[in-house]
Amino acid sequence: MSRILTLRDALNEAMIEEMRRDENVFLMGEEVAEYNGAYKVSKGMLDAFGPKRVVDTPIAELGFAGIGVGAAMNGLRPIVEFMTWNFAVLAFDQIVNNAAKTVSQSAGEFHCPIVFRGPSGAAGQLAQQHSQTFEAWLANTPGIKVISCIDPHDSKGLLKAAIRDEDPICIMESEIMYGHKGEVPEGEILVEIGKAAVRREGTDVTLVSFNKMVEVCKSAADELAKDGISAEIIDLRTIRPLDIDTIINSVKKTNRIVVVDESWPFAGVSSEVTYNVQKFAFDYLDAPVIRVNSADTSLPYAPTFVEEFLPSPAKIITAVKQVMYR
Amino acid sequence: MAEVVAKAKTGKKPTSRKKSVKKYNKKTWLTWFETMYRIRKFEEKTLLAYSQQKIRGFCHVYIGQEAIGAALVTGIRKEDAVVTAYRQHGVGLSRGLSSDSCMAELFGKKTGCVKGKGGSMHFFSKKHNYFGGNGIVGAQIPIGTGIAFAEQYKGTDNLCVTMFGDGAARQGALYESFNMAMTWKLPVLYICENNGYAMGTSVERTSNVQDLYKIGSAFDMPSEAVDGMDPASVHEAFQRASEHIRSGQGPYYLEIKTYRYKGHSVSDPAKYRTKDELNSYKEKDPVIVVEQKILKDKIASQKEVDEIKKSIVDEINTAYKFADESDYPDGSELYSENYVQEDYPFLT
C-alpha cells in the first residue's frame, strides 16, 4: 500500500528498520536522542531503542565522528548525524583522513562501514556559515561515497542501502526539505547507490541536478513546457560514484544540457558532469554545456542576497534558452 | 582498589623502579629483554636500510621507548585492541606482527603486513587487534575511544590501548575524547608517550603544564605519571589501569615519561637538545639496564642472554633479506582496496 511520507519520516523509517534488522547499527549525534533530533529525523528512536543505540553526544564533531570511525573499524555500523554539514567541517579529519583511508592504508585488514548524514545547502537567511554545500568537497576524496537526495522514497532506499554498505558514506539532506512529501510504499525499499533517476522524460534539453535543486528544475520545466520546450530532468541522487551513463544517454537524445547545482561553480559537481559530457558525448552536443550554480561568493543574510545567490527557475530558463539558441 | 583510584585522581609522581625489581619471574624478565632487543635491532636495521635508500618516505624509529613495547606484551591481553600514532614499528612488533612482515612493509614490498600500502606509519593487523599507526597527530585518540565504545557495546571486557605523544596531547581531539570516554565510562587506556619533544619543540615551549598526566584531572579521569624507561614500572601501571578499566569504571590515563635517542624522524639531526641531556638518558637505556639487571641478579646466565641476542640478530637479518628479496606490489594494485565494493567505477 502506498502512502505519502515526508522526507523526515522516510529517513526515520529507514533508520528504524535497519536498527531492527541489525543490532550493530546505532545512531549518534547532537540532540538525536532526548530532543528527538534537531530536525526531528530521529523522533521516537530513543524510546524504541534506548540510550545504548541512540546516543546523545556533546558538541564535539571531531570527537564523535572519530568515535564512529573507531567503532566501525571494530565491528559496529554507526550512523553519525551532523546537525548540519557546516559543522561537519570540524570532523573532516576523521572523514577524509581516516574513514576514507581505512581500507587503503590497512590493505583491507579493516573496513569502515559508517554513515555520516545531515542537512546541507542554503536554508533561508542563515548567512555565510550555515548555507554551504559539501558534495563536491567530499566527492573529491576516493574511499567515500556521497549521496545527496531529497526524494522521500529514494532517500529512504538509499539510506537503508548505505547502512548496509561496507564503505563509508556521506549523505546530504536538506533542512528546508525535511517536510517535502512523496509517495513511499509500505515494505522494504532499497535503492542502488551510484544510479541516477530520470525524474521527468523530455526531448529538447537535459537538466542534470540533485538535492533540492531538482524541485527548482521541475518548476523551470513546467514553465518551459508552456513555451513548447520539453526538458528531461535527471536527479543524480548519488554524487560519488557518478552515474555518467544515464547523463550521456539523455544527452544523446536531447543534444543539449544544462547542469543545475547548488554548489559553488569552481571545481564542483557541475564541472565534473560537464567534463564527462564533453568527453563521452562531444559529437552529440548541439550547444556548449551551461551550468547554473550558486554565486561564486559567500551567502550574506538579506533576502535580496539569497535570491541573487541561488539557482532559480528564471535562471534555469535563461540557461535553457541559451543552449536552445532561443 | 579504591585507594589506588583516589590517589590516581590526584595524579602520581613517576613510580620508582627499585621497588619493582624482584617480583617478576625469569620468563617475564626475558620476555621484556627479548621484546626490547628485537625492537632495538629492528630499528637499527631500519636506519641502515633507510641510509641505503631501501626505505623511503617518513620514518620515525622507537629507539629509547622500547620499555613501553615490552610492557605491552605482558601488561594487557591479546584480545585487547591497540591503536597508536606514526612512531609505531615497536608497537606493531610488540603486538606480535612478524619482523619479516614489518620490514617488508618498510621496504614497500607486497609481502609487507599491509602489502606495501602503508609503509612506516601504517602497520595494521586485525588478527593481532592492532588498529594501526595513524599519521595525523592525535587522530587516533577519538578512534581508539570508538574502538573501546564498540567493546563496551558488544559487552566484552576488552579495552583499547590508545597511544599518543606529548605533541598530540595538545590537540583538541584529546579533550573531546577524554570527555566522552569519562561520561560514557568507556574501556580505554590512554597512554601519552611523553618523550619531551613534539618534533623539535619541547613540552616546556608549548605547554604551561609540563606534567601531562594532570590533563586527566579536568575530567576526573584516574591519571598518573610512569617511568617509561623501566618495563616493570610500565607493566605495573598497565595492570593497575586495566584492572580499573575492566571493572567498568571507565578510562584511565598514563603519562609515560620516556625519551627518544634519535631525531623525530630520520631527517632530523635533533640539534634542539644538548649532548648532556642525551647522555644522561643513555645511562637509563632500558635495553642495557635490563640486560645488566638480568645478569647481576642472576635471573639468567650470560649464555642464555647471548642466545636470545643471537637469535634476535638472526631474525632481523633474515627480515632484512626477506624484505630486500620480496617483490614490489604490481602498479595495478593501486585500484584494489580503496573501497570494499569490488566493482567500484573509478574515473580513469
Side-chain angles (χ1 to χ4, degrees):
Chain A
M1 209 184 101
S2 208
R3 307 159 298 162
I4 302 295
L5 280 191
T6 60
L7 172 63
R8 170 186 293 114
D9 292 340
L11 295 168
N12 180 268
E13 273 194 2
M15 289 192 286
I16 288 174
E17 287 174 18
E18 291 308 301
M19 283 177 66
R20 288 204 180 115
R21 180 177 173 271
D22 181 351
E23 65 179 20
N24 286 327
V25 179
F26 70 98
L27 173 67
M28 148 183 284
E30 295 154 2
E31 309 287 3
V32 297
E34 295 197 6
Y35 193 81
N36 280 302
Y39 297 101
K40 307 299 171 205
V41 176
S42 57
K43 192 174 178 186
M45 290 177 65
L46 174 66
D47 289 344
F49 297 103
K52 179 187 170 190
R53 299 183 66 195
V54 182
V55 184
D56 273 331
T57 65
I59 300 170
E61 284 82 6
L62 172 62
F64 69 74
I67 287 174
V69 170
M73 290 174 76
N74 198 15
L76 302 187
R77 305 183 83 84
I79 307 167
V80 172
E81 176 174 309
F82 294 118
M83 200 179 289
T84 115
W85 274 97
N86 297 288
F87 305 161
V89 176
L90 290 151
F92 268 30
D93 176 54
Q94 287 298 335
I95 301 172
V96 172
N97 280 328
N98 291 293
K101 291 168 178 58
T102 298
V103 173
S104 176
Q105 64 192 7
S106 75
E109 283 282 303
F110 291 94
H111 298 173
C112 190
I114 188 168
V115 171
F116 299 104
R117 49 158 288 273
S120 98
Q125 292 173 250
L126 300 182
Q128 289 83 352
Q129 294 175 330
H130 288 69
S131 304
Q132 306 168 90
T133 60
F134 293 94
E135 284 84 353
W137 286 52
L138 290 159
N140 187 244
T141 304
I144 45 187
K145 299 175 183 174
V146 179
I147 291 167
S148 184
C149 184
I150 50 90
D151 177 78
H153 173 281
D154 291 357
S155 294
K156 178 178 177 183
L158 285 162
L159 177 52
K160 284 168 67 77
I163 292 166
R164 296 184 197 185
D165 202 283
E166 276 299 302
D167 289 310
I169 299 186
C170 299
I171 302 184
M172 282 74 179
E173 299 155 6
S174 165
E175 280 110 311
I176 56 172
M177 300 303 276
Y178 279 132
H180 177 61
K181 289 176 182 165
E183 219 171 86
V184 183
E186 303 260 13
E188 183 85 308
I189 298 170
L190 288 169
V191 171
E192 188 180 349
I193 295 164
K195 294 287 179 234
V198 178
R199 294 288 179 213
R200 188 175 296 188
E201 294 202 4
T203 52
D204 296 329
V205 62
T206 300
L207 300 176
V208 171
S209 193
F210 58 93
N211 202 299
K212 67 175 178 284
M213 285 302 134
V214 173
E215 296 303 306
V216 181
C217 287
K218 285 179 185 170
S219 299
D222 290 343
E223 289 300 310
L224 288 164
K226 292 175 192 165
D227 261 355
I229 296 171
S230 162
E232 177 147 303
I233 300 173
I234 293 175
D235 181 350
L236 292 174
R237 301 192 294 192
T238 301
I239 307 301
R240 183 185 183 98
L242 188 65
D243 182 0
I244 296 164
D245 290 348
T246 297
I247 301 167
I248 298 305
N249 288 338
S250 178
V251 171
K252 284 181 178 174
K253 182 172 73 173
T254 63
N255 310 113
R256 297 163 206 277
I257 176 169
V258 172
V259 189
V260 182
D261 173 3
E262 192 186 325
S263 320
W264 289 307
F266 195 96
V269 178
S270 59
S271 320
E272 189 59 38
V273 171
T274 304
Y275 168 80
N276 280 288
V277 170
Q278 67 80 31
K279 183 176 179 191
F280 296 112
F282 188 78
D283 289 338
Y284 293 87
L285 285 172
D286 285 346
V289 182
I290 292 184
R291 59 185 181 180
V292 180
N293 290 91
S294 287
D296 192 20
T297 67
S298 291
L299 175 53
Y301 169 70
T304 42
F305 292 135
V306 177
E307 192 184 337
E308 185 71 20
F309 179 86
L310 285 172
S312 63
K315 290 178 188 173
I316 296 168
I317 289 164
T318 302
V320 167
K321 293 201 168 164
Q322 210 176 329
V323 299
M324 308 264 322
Y325 299 109
R326 282 170 66 162
Chain B
M1 193 64 225
E3 192 194 327
V4 170
V5 175
K7 269 190 200 164
K9 271 191 180 171
T10 55
K12 290 207 250 177
K13 291 288 170 197
T15 40
S16 160
R17 77 174 57 181
K18 280 177 187 164
K19 285 182 199 158
S20 51
V21 168
K22 290 201 171 167
K23 278 195 271 183
Y24 300 101
N25 61 22
K26 176 177 177 179
K27 187 178 165 226
T28 302
W29 278 107
L30 291 183
T31 299
W32 288 337
F33 177 68
E34 181 182 327
T35 304
M36 293 194 296
Y37 199 74
R38 175 179 292 110
I39 296 170
R40 179 66 57 90
K41 291 295 144 190
F42 182 93
E43 296 292 47
E44 286 172 359
K45 194 65 88 177
T46 295
L47 291 170
L48 172 73
Y50 202 95
S51 73
Q52 296 167 329
Q53 300 193 342
K54 290 176 186 289
I55 299 171
R56 309 298 290 262
F58 294 132
C59 186
H60 314 83
V61 297
Y62 208 59
I63 291 175
Q65 303 181 203
E66 292 92 343
I68 302 166
L72 272 176
V73 178
T74 57
I76 58 164
R77 300 175 185 166
K78 283 194 165 57
E79 297 76 20
D80 293 328
V82 175
V83 67
T84 187
Y86 44 79
R87 193 179 307 286
Q88 56 103 41
H89 309 161
V91 181
L93 291 168
S94 297
R95 280 269 89 188
L97 277 74
S98 72
S99 295
D100 279 3
S101 73
C102 291
M103 190 62 80
E105 189 56 39
L106 295 182
F107 278 56
K109 300 299 181 71
K110 67 180 185 185
T111 51
C113 58
V114 290
K115 307 181 195 172
K117 289 193 164 178
S120 167
M121 296 186 284
H122 307 294
F123 298 170
F124 287 83
S125 173
K126 194 164 192 172
K127 184 178 139 196
H128 297 94
N129 291 309
Y130 184 51
F131 286 74
N134 197 302
I136 308 294
V137 174
Q140 76 281 6
I141 303 173
I143 290 175
T145 309
I147 293 165
F149 179 96
E151 293 299 335
Q152 185 190 64
Y153 191 97
K154 291 185 273 191
T156 72
D157 69 345
N158 301 329
L159 53 83
C160 180
V161 179
T162 302
M163 305 170 75
F164 51 90
D166 46 280
R170 307 266 72 96
Q171 286 275 32
L174 176 138
Y175 296 81
E176 298 187 18
S177 302
F178 274 24
N179 179 47
M180 283 183 271
M182 271 309 285
T183 305
W184 300 336
K185 300 291 179 280
L186 300 179
V188 200
L189 171 48
Y190 292 111
I191 291 174
C192 176
E193 295 181 273
N194 182 357
N195 63 23
Y197 294 89
M199 203 166 155
T201 306
S202 66
V203 172
E204 288 77 10
R205 292 174 55 217
T206 52
S207 176
N208 189 46
V209 176
Q210 264 105 72
D211 286 321
L212 298 178
Y213 70 88
K214 290 179 180 168
I215 294 169
S217 64
F219 303 89
D220 278 349
M221 191 186 296
S223 309
E224 56 181 292
V226 181
D227 174 6
M229 305 309 276
D230 171 32
S233 295
V234 184
H235 169 87
E236 283 162 22
F238 280 13
Q239 291 208 315
R240 274 196 303 280
S242 55
E243 190 186 333
H244 174 86
I245 294 163
R246 287 189 223 283
S247 73
Q249 298 182 75
Y252 205 103
Y253 171 40
L254 301 173
E255 179 201 356
I256 302 182
K257 292 181 188 290
T258 180
Y259 199 79
R260 61 169 152 81
Y261 294 144
K262 302 289 177 181
H264 166 72
S265 67
V266 290
S267 59
D268 171 21
K271 287 182 177 164
Y272 41 83
R273 51 191 193 185
T274 63
K275 273 196 174 153
D276 286 348
E277 177 184 306
L278 186 60
N279 288 335
S280 76
Y281 273 96
K282 283 200 169 165
E283 286 170 18
K284 300 178 189 171
D285 186 326
V287 182
I288 295 169
V289 170
V290 167
E291 181 182 352
Q292 287 169 348
K293 168 70 59 193
I294 287 169
L295 294 174
K296 190 167 142 271
D297 291 0
K298 300 193 189 325
I299 295 165
S301 68
Q302 181 73 54
K303 185 164 170 277
E304 286 171 298
V305 169
D306 287 347
E307 275 171 11
I308 288 171
K309 289 164 88 169
K310 182 179 181 307
S311 128
I312 294 289
V313 169
D314 288 349
E315 174 187 321
I316 301 303
N317 286 338
T318 303
Y320 177 96
K321 190 163 181 286
F322 172 77
D324 203 28
E325 290 174 356
S326 291
D327 291 329
Y328 287 111
D330 192 88
S332 63
E333 291 295 321
L334 182 63
Y335 288 95
S336 67
E337 291 146 356
N338 286 276
Y339 291 91
V340 180
Q341 180 186 345
E342 286 187 3
D343 58 350
Y344 183 87
F346 293 98
L347 298 177
T348 51

